[in-house]
Amino acid sequence: MTRIVIFAKAPVPGRTKTRLIPALGAEGAAALARTMLADTVREAAAAETGPVELCACPPPDHVDWQGHLPDGRVELTAQGEGDLGARMARAVERVIAAEGPILLIGTDCPGLDRHGLVEAGRQLGKHDVVLYPTLDGGYVLIGLKRFDPSLFEGIAWGGATVTADTIQRIEALGWSLWRGATLRDIDEPADLEAVGLKR
C-alpha cells in the first residue's frame, strides 16, 4: 500500500492562486482552487493505492478551512512550520517511518489523474523515487520509499530548476528514478488557456 499525501493551502480569496487573480479575480481564483482540490481528492481516492491524506496549510482546524475540507474518507493533518521543503520533508519522513511508500502531490495539476497516480505507485515498486515534472521546471508528484533530507533542503521552490536540482540529488544518492510525463500546473493566466479553462 502506498499513502497519497495531498499538500494543499486553504482556498481563501486573495490568499490562494494569487497569480491568477488578474485573470479570474480573487473570488474566481479561490473558486478554481476549491475545484482543483476537490478533483485532486477524488482522483487520489479513486486510485486506490492506499490511504489518502490532506496535509493542510494552515492546520485543518483553522477557520480558513471552514466549509472547504473534503469528507471523512480523507485523513487530515497539518503541514506545520517552515518553508515548503521543510514541510514536505517532515511529511515524507513521517509516512515512510510509520508505513512505507508515499506519493506526495499538490492540487494544481488537472492532468494528474487516477491513472497517473496508479502508474506512479506501480513504478515506485520498482524504483526508489518517482517524479512527474511540470513544464515550469517543478514537479507535481514525488514518490519515495526511503527518505533523505537532501532532496528537500536548499531547493529554490517555485523556480525553474526544482526538478533538475532534485534529480541531481537523487543521482548523488545513487537512487533509482522513474520519471513520468511532463505535466502542466495551473499557476499563471496562460495556463488557463492551455488547458481550456476560460479566463
Side-chain angles (χ1 to χ4, degrees):
M1 301 291 280
T2 300
R3 175 177 287 263
I4 298 178
V5 177
I6 303 167
F7 254 44
K9 289 175 62 177
V12 177
R15 299 207 299 273
T16 187
K17 307 307 294 178
T18 55
R19 285 178 283 174
L20 295 177
I21 290 175
L24 300 176
E27 292 287 348
L32 178 60
R34 286 191 288 273
T35 297
M36 290 195 295
L37 171 60
D39 290 348
T40 301
V41 170
R42 182 188 68 241
E43 294 300 306
E48 297 183 338
T49 68
V52 177
E53 172 187 324
L54 177 67
C55 196
C57 179
D61 58 355
H62 192 278
V63 65
D64 284 356
W65 280 104
Q66 189 171 352
H68 303 311
L69 289 170
D71 64 32
R73 297 173 301 165
V74 177
E75 298 175 29
L76 302 175
T77 59
Q79 293 180 21
E81 300 300 319
D83 69 4
L84 179 59
R87 288 178 278 132
M88 290 170 64
R90 190 160 47 240
V92 169
E93 186 175 24
R94 166 177 56 82
V95 171
I96 290 175
E99 301 176 43
I102 177 175
L103 299 178
L104 181 64
I105 65 175
T107 63
D108 301 337
C109 183
L112 182 61
D113 60 12
R114 65 193 71 183
H115 305 294
L117 292 167
V118 168
E119 181 63 13
R122 190 174 75 84
Q123 293 295 337
L124 192 55
K126 306 175 184 178
H127 300 86
D128 298 309
V129 190
V130 297
L131 281 174
Y132 277 112
T134 53
L135 289 169
D136 62 7
Y139 57 77
V140 70
L141 175 150
I142 185 167
L144 294 150
K145 55 189 178 187
R146 48 180 168 161
F147 173 75
D148 192 278
S150 68
L151 299 179
F152 304 100
E153 294 173 346
I155 299 284
W157 303 106
T161 63
V162 172
T163 291
D165 291 345
T166 302
I167 290 174
Q168 186 177 50
R169 294 173 186 208
I170 292 166
E171 291 173 346
L173 290 167
W175 292 3
S176 61
L177 168 68
W178 177 82
R179 180 171 173 162
T182 300
L183 302 174
R184 180 184 290 275
D185 268 343
I186 308 301
D187 289 323
E188 306 281 353
D191 298 325
L192 299 171
E193 295 180 350
V195 298
L197 294 173
K198 293 181 179 180
R199 292 180 58 179

